[in-house]
Amino acid sequence: ELPDYTFPQALDELSAAGGNTLRWWLHSNGSYSPEFDNQGRVTGLDSRTIPNLQKVLDMAYERGIVISMCLWSFDMLQDQGQNQLHMKQLLEDSTYTRTYINHALIPILSAVGNHPAVLTWEIFNEPEGMTSEFGWTPVRTEMKYIQQFINLVAGAIHRYQPEALVSNGSWSFRASTDVGGNKNYYSDSLLVAAGGDSLGFLDFYQIHYFPEHFGNDLSPFHHPAAHWQLDKPVMIGEFPVTG
């Protein structure tokens, strides 16, 4: 059972501080959720997963808080107890990606996809961290597979919950704008080209920024949104509270 004190306490503290939005990591690294068979196919969810999702979303709604439902993180390819070969397969082989969509994501969407406390379905937290192009994890994939995975998962969300908003927590404008010699890997055209699903696009961009890693040139606090020449709204998903 979900302890009754944990999420209410976090939500109450957030509300008391004037906050109205929470990012909640769901599968994260794949070590506990969803469930896999020996070949790495997703078979389903723990019986408590959907009731707990419903319970926490209800708690958030009661407090006027909305939640970014962050599905996965670059931690998929960190050594944190999960089967990293299964994670890599899930990311790179669309057959395995679809076992996740069919046996985990769609049941979640059917249960809570239109819950009023859901702000957005966020496909990844900083997926660039597990890529050969940008990353820091011991096992790496490639940006083309990140694009394919986002396309297929976003397409499923848009198909089964047409009113839902989909985003992705990019680690930097380095991967999310064509300005300044960078590249926006998350444009509609590139995502659809990677996975083939015409509904597999983002509804808005989400960017992270920490000054110790990136200078003012890549700072959303030093430029207006128009500077990045993007075709969708931009949300700053992570940034330091001081400095």
Side-chain angles (χ1 to χ4, degrees), residues 37-77:
D37 66 15
N38 291 334
Q39 282 72 50
R41 295 180 293 246
V42 174
T43 58
L45 299 161
D46 184 280
S47 62
R48 296 164 294 185
T49 298
I50 286 176
N52 283 345
L53 286 168
Q54 183 76 55
K55 189 174 183 179
V56 174
L57 287 166
D58 288 347
M59 291 177 187
Y61 186 65
E62 290 165 4
R63 292 160 175 80
I65 292 170
V66 291
I67 294 182
S68 179
M69 306 286 273
C70 185
L71 298 172
W72 296 97
S73 173
F74 68 84
D75 298 281
M76 294 173 81
L77 297 184

Side-chain angles (χ1 to χ4, degrees), residues 94 97-98 101 105 147-157 159 195-197 200:
S94 62
T97 306
R98 288 190 173 92
I101 291 169
L105 180 64
Q147 293 169 309
Q148 173 182 276
F149 189 93
I150 290 174
N151 172 256
L152 295 175
V153 174
I157 296 170
R159 193 163 283 109
D197 191 327

Side-chain angles (χ1 to χ4, degrees), residues 167-230:
S167 190
N168 175 66
S170 177
W171 119 112
S172 169
F173 273 117
R174 279 187 63 192
S176 298
T177 182
D178 293 322
V179 171
N182 300 294
K183 179 177 179 179
N184 178 16
Y185 285 85
Y186 307 113
S187 68
D188 293 3
S189 59
L190 291 183
L191 292 180
V192 172
D197 191 327
S198 62
L199 294 182
F201 53 83
L202 303 181
D203 294 290
F204 63 93
Y205 298 108
Q206 185 193 136
I207 309 297
H208 299 174
Y209 174 73
F210 292 90
E212 61 266 36
H213 300 308
F214 301 104
N216 293 353
D217 286 350
L218 290 167
S219 168
F221 298 102
H222 291 78
H223 303 279
H227 170 78
W228 310 105
Q229 299 179 23
L230 294 170

Side-chain angles (χ1 to χ4, degrees), residues 27-178:
H27 311 301
S28 303
N29 61 13
S31 60
Y32 291 100
S33 171
E35 296 180 337
F36 295 84
D37 66 15
N38 291 334
Q39 282 72 50
R41 295 180 293 246
V42 174
T43 58
L45 299 161
D46 184 280
S47 62
R48 296 164 294 185
T49 298
I50 286 176
N52 283 345
L53 286 168
Q54 183 76 55
K55 189 174 183 179
V56 174
L57 287 166
D58 288 347
M59 291 177 187
Y61 186 65
E62 290 165 4
R63 292 160 175 80
I65 292 170
V66 291
I67 294 182
S68 179
M69 306 286 273
C70 185
L71 298 172
W72 296 97
S73 173
F74 68 84
D75 298 281
M76 294 173 81
L77 297 184
Q78 300 270 54
D79 185 8
Q80 297 176 340
Q82 77 281 45
N83 186 318
Q84 291 171 290
L85 292 179
H86 288 176
M87 294 301 103
K88 204 164 190 292
Q89 198 169 243
L90 186 71
L91 289 166
E92 297 181 356
D93 189 327
S94 62
T95 301
Y96 288 84
T97 306
R98 288 190 173 92
T99 69
Y100 163 67
I101 291 169
N102 292 331
H103 300 137
L105 180 64
I106 290 174
I108 289 172
L109 293 172
S110 297
V112 299
N114 62 352
H115 194 292
V118 174
L119 169 69
T120 182
W121 296 91
E122 182 182 338
I123 309 298
F124 285 114
N125 167 69
E126 302 189 356
E128 301 90 353
M130 56 182 169
T131 65
S132 54
E133 290 90 342
F134 301 111
W136 54 86
T137 56
V139 176
R140 307 275 173 89
T141 185
E142 298 173 54
M143 283 300 296
K144 67 180 181 180
Y145 295 120
I146 298 299
Q147 293 169 309
Q148 173 182 276
F149 189 93
I150 290 174
N151 172 256
L152 295 175
V153 174
I157 296 170
H158 284 134
R159 193 163 283 109
Y160 285 90
Q161 288 293 346
E163 301 302 313
L165 299 177
V166 180
S167 190
N168 175 66
S170 177
W171 119 112
S172 169
F173 273 117
R174 279 187 63 192
S176 298
T177 182
D178 293 322

